[in-house]
Amino acid sequence: MHIQHCFGVSLLLLGHLNLCLCNLTPRVSFPFESPGRSVVQFTNPDIGNTTTLLLSDDEATLFVGARDAVLLLDVSQPGVMEMKDKLDWSPSSTDLDDCSMKGKKKVDCHNFIRVLHFLNSTHMYACGTHAFSPRCSYIDLKRFSFVTNPSGKPHEGRGRCPYDPYQRNTAVVVDGELYTGTVADYRGNRPVISRHLSQGLHTDLKLDDTLGWLEDPTFVSSTFLPSKEKVYFFFSEVGREYDFIDKLVVSRVAQVCTNDVGGQRTLQRRWTTFVKAQLLCHNENELPYNVIQDIVALLPTEGGAEDETLFYGIFSSQWSVNSGKSAVCRFQLRDIKAVFAGNYKVLNRDTLRWSTRVQEKFASPGQCGLHNASDSTLRFVKDNFLADQSVQPVGRILSLVSPDHGYTNIAAQRVHAAGGRNYTVLFLLTESGFLHKTVLLDKGPHIIEEVQVFRNPQRVKNIFLSITKGVVFVGSSDGVTQVPISNCSFYQSCAECVLARDPLCGWDHCSRTCVLVSSGPENLVQDVESGNAEGICRSPTVSPRSRSGVQRPPSVSCPPSEHVYVSLNEVVKLQCPEVSRLAVRHWERPNSLLSPNLYIQQTDGSLYFLAAPPTLGHYSCFSVENGYRQCLADFLVRQQASATSRAVIPTSTQNRSTTTQVALNKVTPTSQGTQPVRVRTITTEVGHGARGPELTTVQEVIQVSTTGSRDRHSGQDDRNLSSFRQPRLTETASIDGELLSVTNGKTYYWELVAVTVMLVMSLCVLLMGALYALRPHCRHRMAPQVCPGTDSNVGGDQERDPLSQPTVSVMKPSKQGMEKPMAVSSSMPRGSNGHLPNTPI
């Protein structure tokens, strides 16, 4: 016990320390109803929960089990999905009242079709929850109607269909017999794996729920392998063998033989070939993904052994460290058979505890044909049905780990790529409603694209792949969506086709299109493993010059330039399209670098900058993916000219005589920190009018280097500051690829004068306020110094005039040589020194 506990704690710690996650990002994303990805939808406001899907043998009809109905959809033509017929199957009012009396919600008391299978070429079998009282019925395919039971009573659906519409179940038909995994009671406490509609010498079988063969399972899927005559069930349940962890959920695979008829005395009408084993989806030293969500079988290639059959399953985890994550594991049938052929754990019926002690082996549990065995042998297999070893994934590694998406349903397909190699393509449905198309490569999984198939997350959904039609059907509560498995026409160039690394698509150099490999010529090119578009798609051609005359890097051509007209001091935003989420986008300018002080490049590919004469011109957006560099957008940012300035710049010189005169004007100093510019006046004669020749004048702004030699005419012009006193705004234009600045005559001279006057007045007001505040302090410093407290010692008994001014005491020498104060009125005349006149001090 202590050893098991320590092992569990160690496993938890190792899972926290060594958890490895692969950050998978879909290369291309198509939102709901995106025009770049063609999908077909069937919706009807009166029909919901279209989640049970069944495709006919000719793949022209899709049968859909919905709420209170079975639908017949026509899918014979590509891009078409129309309802041809509808078979209503609603509970009666009495059934609905009984369901409400049981405390169930009214919305859950409908008849949700959960089982829909072909029994033969003429009939189909359907089962529904039917207001928490399961019912089943035969359906005549030719008339598309229910077959009435001779007794007139409905078929009992207990053990064939769940009571609750949200409980998961599984069912498969083998030779007209129905094998199901579900619950057999209203509360869902009696899980069963059973066989119904038995024919010939077969009898209906089920598991004995008193033996603890199943522990609160959640059934996911079931598969029949004809050569082995076995049906495999996949589910998750509580692992009672791990008694050191309370309610540890484990994933299981179980098997039963189709020729099992039960024991003669022991295990009568019970399975004698039932065994189960744990499916372990984990990496070394990591916490396992222990809850299975869905699993699908991928048959081997033509001529391959059946033991090479692969099972791809989606697993989640009950551990909080893996919350919201999903993993895909791959199991091989050969490994499953090896585990079932090994040792088994022993269940103590008294303590309900499992042990792994070695005991005498009476028989091999799970072996077909045990129904004729002795009672002692049957008692042995009854207690030894749990395999001792677990089924490990192929290579003991996970095929895919998604930290950002919770996958719920899966479909798998083996594809023969253009290079002749086979690849496995998985279609994974997320909880949020996206379908991920993923290819498994040697270096790891690669998500080719994601397609949003429904807007809101769905609680119950299903996925069905038709390889022959080349579509994936997705059923949800809102309707049925048909998604083509390939989207080759979306890739318009060889680079996009190769970088997609879609094994279904290849590039045809002759037609210069990306086509489907199965329908295209044999000389298609593709690189699924590396996506080396640089080596496959590059051609030794010389790229054209840009509009500005600058030669671009070899083999990189940009789309036609888009002109963007802006005003000075305006924030400019240039957007770069996103062709791939795996590509890194950046902006470039001809012969210059984008300084981070002037430009802001966002992660979404946009570029922000302030429009100014130095920032006008060409901008190109490039992306780099797998070493392949391509130009996505090209912009020519120009200053927006006024109506007058636009009129004077000739746009066409055809049938005109043109004379151009160029004159150099003064050098204009600019603000501090920038270089001075020279204004060159260009006068052009564009024709003759009624009054003589028509002239146009533009001014070109040329920067003058402060470190190099100056023009010999600039010495005197440098001292002319008229342009500084009256700054003028300029408009730019482009003539023969050169950037010109055309003055528009607008000035801000009077605005500058007004601001200056207001500034001076504000300073004067502040100065006067400061002087006024300092005035009392100055008066105090200029007043005479007076000794305090002398008035109380002299003339205390003499009456004072209340209106008289205060007196000042003056010390006068007495006859005894002592000082005697003498009160002097302040109203008496004083000398210039502040004392009484003619009085010695």
Side-chain angles (χ1 to χ4, degrees):
M1 179 69 66
H2 294 288
I3 297 177
Q4 292 179 341
H5 180 73
C6 295
F7 172 76
V9 175
S10 301
L11 185 61
L12 291 175
L13 294 177
L14 291 173
H16 283 279
L17 294 176
N18 300 321
L19 188 62
C20 176
L21 297 177
C22 301
N23 186 12
L24 293 176
T25 301
R27 184 180 181 272
V28 184
S29 180
F30 297 97
F32 188 73
E33 297 180 349
S34 173
R37 195 65 162 94
S38 60
V39 297
V40 181
Q41 290 185 332
F42 167 77
T43 57
N44 191 313
D46 299 329
I47 301 175
N49 293 88
T50 52
T51 56
T52 305
L53 307 177
L54 180 64
L55 190 63
S56 61
D57 293 335
D58 58 0
E59 299 191 352
T61 304
L62 180 68
F63 296 93
V64 181
R67 182 184 60 200
D68 299 335
V70 178
L71 311 179
L72 192 152
L73 303 182
D74 181 14
V75 294
S76 57
Q77 300 298 325
V80 177
M81 190 161 48
E82 298 178 350
M83 185 172 66
K84 295 176 57 178
D85 203 348
K86 177 184 176 182
L87 192 60
D88 292 325
W89 193 7
S90 302
S92 63
S93 58
T94 304
D95 295 331
L96 294 176
D97 294 339
D98 293 342
C99 181
S100 299
M101 290 293 292
K102 296 176 183 179
K104 301 300 180 181
K105 297 180 180 179
K106 186 177 181 181
V107 68
D108 297 335
C109 289
H110 294 274
N111 186 22
F112 296 87
I113 311 302
R114 301 302 302 274
V115 175
L116 194 64
H117 283 281
F118 294 112
L119 291 180
N120 46 47
S121 60
T122 59
H123 289 81
M124 186 168 54
Y125 195 71
C127 298
T129 58
H130 205 272
F132 280 80
S133 180
R135 297 286 185 271
C136 296
S137 178
Y138 293 95
I139 298 177
D140 189 338
L141 294 177
K142 185 177 181 180
R143 295 181 300 173
F144 196 63
S145 61
F146 291 113
V147 177
T148 305
N149 192 7
S151 63
K153 297 181 180 179
H155 291 266
E156 178 67 33
R158 184 175 60 180
R160 311 177 189 187
C161 178
Y163 288 72
D164 193 330
Y166 302 111
Q167 282 182 338
R168 302 193 63 176
N169 70 301
T170 181
V172 61
V173 172
V174 179
D175 297 332
E177 298 176 337
L178 181 67
Y179 295 78
T180 62
T182 183
V183 292
D185 66 330
Y186 174 80
R187 298 180 180 273
N189 296 329
R190 294 179 56 192
V192 293
I193 292 178
S194 54
R195 182 175 65 194
H196 305 272
L197 310 178
S198 299
Q199 301 176 2
L201 299 177
H202 288 184
T203 58
D204 290 351
L205 300 179
K206 65 178 181 178
L207 291 180
D208 193 339
D209 53 358
T210 63
L211 299 180
W213 283 354
L214 296 174
E215 298 287 347
D216 192 16
T218 300
F219 294 98
V220 169
S221 177
S222 55
T223 303
F224 169 66
L225 297 179
S227 64
K228 305 300 180 183
E229 296 183 350
K230 293 181 179 180
V231 177
Y232 290 91
F233 292 89
F234 299 90
F235 55 94
S236 61
E237 66 174 356
V238 178
R240 296 298 183 186
E241 67 270 26
Y242 299 101
D243 55 356
F244 60 91
I245 297 180
D246 186 24
K247 292 187 178 180
L248 174 65
V249 180
V250 296
S251 298
R252 303 288 197 193
V253 53
Q255 72 168 29
V256 293
C257 294
T258 57
N259 61 0
D260 195 347
V261 295
Q264 297 179 0
R265 289 176 297 273
T266 303
L267 296 179
Q268 290 184 1
R269 293 185 178 272
R270 300 292 186 269
W271 294 105
T272 63
T273 57
F274 172 81
V275 288
K276 64 181 181 180
Q278 181 180 0
L279 291 175
L280 196 57
C281 180
H282 80 118
N283 282 328
E284 293 294 336
N285 301 329
E286 293 182 6
L287 283 175
Y289 291 84
N290 56 328
V291 183
I292 187 172
Q293 299 293 334
D294 194 14
I295 197 167
V296 63
L298 184 62
L299 298 179
T301 57
E302 186 176 357
E306 193 176 38
D307 288 347
E308 297 178 358
T309 302
L310 297 175
F311 297 93
Y312 289 89
I314 299 175
F315 295 82
S316 61
S317 177
Q318 73 178 109
W319 315 109
S320 59
V321 69
N322 291 337
S323 178
K325 304 178 180 64
S326 293
V328 175
C329 278
R330 176 181 56 177
F331 303 94
Q332 195 170 34
L333 179 60
R334 180 182 292 108
D335 299 331
I336 296 177
K337 292 174 59 178
V339 170
F340 284 146
N343 296 326
Y344 283 78
K345 297 181 183 297
V346 180
L347 176 63
N348 190 330
R349 293 294 178 180
D350 297 330
T351 62
L352 295 179
R353 293 184 179 273
W354 293 91
S355 63
T356 57
R357 69 177 184 269
V358 179
Q359 64 177 4
E360 184 181 357
K361 193 172 184 180
F362 291 94
S364 297
Q367 181 181 357
C368 297
L370 292 178
H371 53 276
N372 293 324
S374 61
D375 291 344
S376 60
T377 301
L378 294 180
R379 283 193 295 269
F380 175 82
V381 299
K382 183 176 67 173
D383 296 334
N384 297 265
F385 55 86
L386 178 60
D388 186 30
Q389 299 296 324
S390 300
V391 182
Q392 299 286 343
V394 177
R396 295 182 178 268
I397 59 174
L398 279 67
S399 300
L400 182 149
V401 178
S402 176
D404 303 321
H405 305 284
Y407 294 124
T408 57
N409 300 83
I410 185 174
Q413 178 184 5
R414 184 175 284 107
V415 178
H416 189 72
R421 182 178 172 181
N422 291 328
Y423 290 93
T424 301
V425 177
L426 304 179
F427 298 92
L428 305 170
L429 189 62
T430 68
E431 295 177 346
S432 56
F434 283 87
L435 183 66
H436 284 189
K437 179 181 176 181
T438 308
V439 57
L440 301 181
L441 307 176
D442 294 340
K443 300 179 181 179
H446 167 66
I447 301 182
I448 302 171
E449 61 180 358
E450 67 173 3
V451 183
Q452 187 176 7
V453 291
F454 43 84
R455 280 193 177 93
N456 302 320
Q458 306 292 318
R459 185 173 180 180
V460 179
K461 46 198 169 293
N462 193 14
I463 184 173
F464 185 86
L465 171 64
S466 173
I467 299 178
T468 305
K469 297 184 69 66
V471 296
V472 175
F473 295 100
V474 181
S476 65
S477 299
D478 297 337
V480 182
T481 304
Q482 182 183 150
V483 184
I485 62 176
S486 62
N487 193 27
C488 303
S489 60
F490 175 76
Y491 309 110
Q492 300 294 325
S493 65
C494 175
E496 294 179 1
C497 185
V498 175
L499 289 173
R501 288 184 282 177
D502 189 346
L504 294 168
C505 302
W507 179 257
D508 185 7
H509 281 297
C510 297
S511 62
R512 301 186 64 83
T513 55
C514 190
V515 298
L516 193 64
V517 173
S518 59
S519 60
E522 296 181 357
N523 58 348
L524 297 179
V525 295
Q526 181 59 275
D527 187 2
V528 180
E529 283 294 336
S530 303
N532 185 15
E534 182 73 24
I536 294 178
C537 301
R538 286 301 191 194
S539 57
T541 57
V542 180
S543 61
R545 292 180 178 271
S546 64
R547 285 174 166 263
S548 60
V550 179
Q551 183 71 30
R552 300 192 183 276
S555 304
V556 178
S557 59
C558 287
S561 299
E562 179 180 351
H563 290 231
V564 178
Y565 293 93
V566 299
S567 302
L568 291 180
N569 299 326
E570 175 186 351
V571 177
V572 183
K573 177 184 178 181
L574 302 181
Q575 189 66 43
C576 183
E578 183 184 54
V579 296
S580 172
R581 289 185 174 183
L582 305 180
V584 179
R585 290 172 289 178
H586 67 279
W587 290 85
E588 294 182 5
R589 294 195 65 185
N591 301 328
S592 64
L593 299 176
L594 299 185
S595 173
N597 298 329
L598 299 178
Y599 300 93
I600 300 177
Q601 301 189 48
Q602 300 287 350
T603 56
D604 61 351
S606 58
L607 178 69
Y608 291 86
F609 60 90
L610 193 64
T615 60
L616 301 178
H618 267 285
Y619 292 87
S620 301
C621 178
F622 293 87
S623 69
V624 179
E625 182 179 2
N626 283 354
Y628 181 81
R629 186 173 183 267
Q630 58 179 336
C631 184
L632 304 179
D634 189 84
F635 295 93
L636 178 58
V637 181
R638 308 173 68 177
Q639 184 177 345
Q640 185 177 4
S642 61
T644 305
S645 59
R646 290 179 186 177
V648 300
I649 299 179
T651 58
S652 176
T653 57
Q654 184 178 5
N655 300 329
R656 288 189 180 185
S657 58
T658 304
T659 304
T660 304
Q661 298 179 0
V662 180
L664 289 175
N665 292 347
K666 56 183 176 297
V667 174
T668 304
T670 59
S671 60
Q672 184 179 1
T674 59
Q675 297 179 351
V677 297
R678 184 186 304 281
V679 181
R680 181 173 64 180
T681 303
I682 303 177
T683 304
T684 306
E685 180 180 342
V686 296
H688 293 272
R691 298 183 180 182
E694 298 180 358
L695 303 179
T696 61
T697 302
V698 297
Q699 291 182 341
E700 181 181 3
V701 180
I702 307 175
Q703 291 187 354
V704 179
S705 176
T706 58
T707 58
S709 59
R710 295 186 178 182
D711 190 275
R712 57 193 180 99
H713 298 286
S714 63
Q716 182 179 357
D717 295 335
D718 288 342
R719 296 187 297 268
N720 191 345
L721 303 179
S722 60
S723 62
F724 177 76
R725 298 190 186 96
Q726 298 184 7
R728 311 179 70 183
L729 288 179
T730 60
E731 303 255 355
T732 60
S734 176
I735 298 180
D736 297 335
E738 296 184 357
L739 188 64
L740 302 181
S741 178
V742 183
T743 59
N744 59 7
K746 185 177 180 180
T747 66
Y748 292 96
Y749 175 74
W750 294 111
E751 288 83 348
L752 180 62
V753 172
V755 172
T756 305
V757 172
M758 293 178 63
L759 180 61
V760 172
M761 294 177 63
S762 300
L763 292 176
C764 291
V765 172
L766 292 175
L767 183 61
M768 293 176 62
L771 293 177
Y772 183 79
L774 293 176
R775 180 184 172 212
H777 181 67
C778 296
R779 291 179 57 187
H780 179 70
R781 292 179 59 89
M782 296 177 61
Q785 301 297 326
V786 181
C787 297
T790 54
D791 293 344
S792 60
N793 300 327
V794 179
D797 54 350
Q798 186 178 358
E799 184 179 358
R800 286 187 174 183
D801 187 359
L803 299 178
S804 62
Q805 297 294 332
T807 58
V808 179
S809 299
V810 181
M811 303 301 297
K812 183 177 180 181
S814 61
K815 295 182 180 181
Q816 287 82 8
M818 299 177 59
E819 294 183 353
K820 182 178 181 181
M822 180 177 60
V824 181
S825 174
S826 61
S827 61
M828 298 177 63
R830 299 177 181 268
S832 59
N833 54 2
H835 298 277
L836 294 176
N838 302 325
T839 303
I841 299 175

